[in-house]
Amino acid sequence: MTTHTKTSIPTRPLGTTGPTVSALGLGCMGMSALYGEADRAESIATIHAALDAGVTLLDTGDFYGMGHNELLIGEALRTAPAAARERALTSVKFGALRTVEGGFTGYDGRPAAVKNFLAYSLQRLGTDHIDVYRIARVDPDVPIEETVGAIAELVEAGHVRHIGLSEVGADTLRRAAAVAPIADLQIEYSLISRGIEDRILPTARELGIGVTAYGVLSRGLISGHFTRDRELAPGDFRGFSPRFQGENLDRNLDLVDRLRAVAEAKGVTVAQTAIAWVLAQGEDIVPLVGARRRDRLAEALGALDVTLDAADLAAIEQAVPADAAAGDRYPESQMAHLDSER
């Protein structure tokens, strides 16, 4: 297993107008929601370890644990060394409407709502600005121009540094970029989720918009650590995810076994190979790793030291061809909210 030992890590620009960030970002959702219970102390220690290693991009959503994740990040930043805190950049998604029971009831992209969501996020994070702010899913009742225009006003006021988007299709990307500069598009991209390659990624590149790729390990499915007999905690998103069900799971883990052979031949882990593959798709792509523990973070950072040559990439493609995954990436009800899938 490759272990990353450098005191700083490579950086990449978020598009032509966005900030320069660490080549890997830390997705913090799992520390608060959707994967069962998380250890608060270990979560904060993991954020501190990421900052110490040179990770600068911390990604969250105001609806992760109904504000819990922002409060957690706020505490981690408050207790981090001043230099690390000053380097940290926050990427925040907003707009999801929740119930007390944890359900999702839609999205609100009205300008007044955008400004309301931001006010609460700033308070929870304990900061005076957010570096990249984006609606989590397009509100079908509000033109994207209005939502982006509201964020642009927050940029003008100094409360937001850059505008991002999440899970939007190529046409929406163009409409949004016509209103204001867009730093990056956050969207699922991995060896087994390659839908953006047809239209969305080329459009982002044409417009000078970077990509922050989430789900690079497909929620642990292609991490090399997920087993067929794993018992999931109540409320774990994967218990409802099509790719983790029955025959789909078996077929997908067969792909992982094929990827493992490639990884072992290089002397690295499955997770490192999967992350390195995303890193190799372009300097304009920044993978987000959802590590909840320091050991998983250390493994993920090791991907930065993995160089994939043409033969390696060909072997990976042969092991896991595009469209090889069994099952959609979200349950049907959630797929309906994805502008990127239209």
Side-chain angles (χ1 to χ4, degrees), residues 10-304:
T11 58
R12 292 184 167 187
L14 278 192
T16 55
T17 65
T20 296
V21 301
S22 51
L24 283 183
L26 182 64
C28 300
M29 180 188 75
M31 298 176 180
S32 299
L34 298 178
Y35 295 118
E37 288 296 315
D39 182 318
R40 186 179 187 85
E42 181 61 24
S43 295
I44 290 174
T46 301
I47 294 172
H48 285 168
L51 294 172
D52 185 57
V55 172
T56 60
L57 185 64
L58 302 178
D59 184 79
T60 184
D62 63 10
F63 50 93
Y64 294 163
M66 291 73 157
H68 178 280
N69 205 237
E70 289 181 321
L71 289 167
L72 184 80
I73 291 172
E75 181 180 344
L77 290 174
R78 199 165 54 248
T79 53
R85 184 167 62 247
E86 288 162 12
R87 287 193 302 270
L89 301 172
T90 52
S91 167
V92 179
K93 290 176 291 299
F94 68 87
L97 304 175
R98 305 294 303 272
T99 65
V100 173
E101 295 75 24
F104 287 83
T105 59
Y107 296 88
D108 193 344
R110 295 171 302 144
V114 175
K115 294 169 183 179
N116 176 77
F117 286 128
L118 179 85
Y120 281 80
S121 285
L122 292 175
Q123 181 68 27
R124 286 187 291 256
L125 287 164
T127 183
D128 63 358
H129 73 276
I130 286 168
D131 294 287
V132 191
Y133 201 50
R134 71 188 86 240
I135 191 164
R137 300 287 185 269
V138 175
D139 180 345
D141 298 323
V142 178
I144 193 65
E145 289 87 349
E146 293 185 19
T147 302
V148 168
I151 306 175
E153 290 178 13
L154 294 168
V155 172
E156 190 72 24
H159 304 311
V160 170
R161 294 284 190 264
H162 304 278
I163 305 170
L165 292 167
S166 175
E167 285 290 353
V168 304
D171 295 341
T172 304
L173 203 56
R174 289 189 189 281
R175 287 169 52 199
V179 175
I182 305 297
D184 74 312
L185 167 64
Q186 187 171 124
I187 197 160
E188 186 165 358
Y189 187 41
S190 72
L191 266 172
I192 63 170
S193 294
R194 296 177 59 177
I196 73 169
E197 293 175 346
D198 294 335
R199 289 189 64 220
I200 296 173
L201 184 56
T203 302
R205 285 177 166 158
E206 176 194 332
L207 298 170
I209 296 170
V211 169
T212 40
Y214 76 87
V216 293
L217 297 179
S218 200
R219 298 162 186 83
L221 181 59
I222 59 171
S223 67
H225 301 299
F226 203 91
T227 57
R228 285 172 171 79
D229 58 356
R230 180 165 172 176
E231 291 285 330
L232 296 172
D236 191 317
F237 165 84
R238 293 168 292 193
F240 313 99
S241 173
R243 289 184 173 172
F244 288 84
Q245 309 306 311
E247 289 184 7
N248 286 352
L249 179 62
D250 286 335
R251 285 170 57 191
N252 292 330
L253 289 180
D254 285 343
L255 295 174
V256 176
D257 287 340
R258 289 158 60 177
L259 185 61
R260 193 186 311 276
V262 179
E264 288 177 351
K266 280 193 70 70
V268 298
T269 71
V270 175
Q272 288 168 344
T273 305
I275 296 167
W277 180 87
V278 178
L279 284 164
Q281 301 314 301
E283 287 288 322
D284 54 348
I285 298 173
V286 175
L288 300 172
V289 295
R292 302 195 293 170
R293 303 184 337 224
R294 284 168 286 182
D295 59 336
R296 293 285 194 254
L297 172 69
E299 180 183 16
L301 291 175
L304 293 165

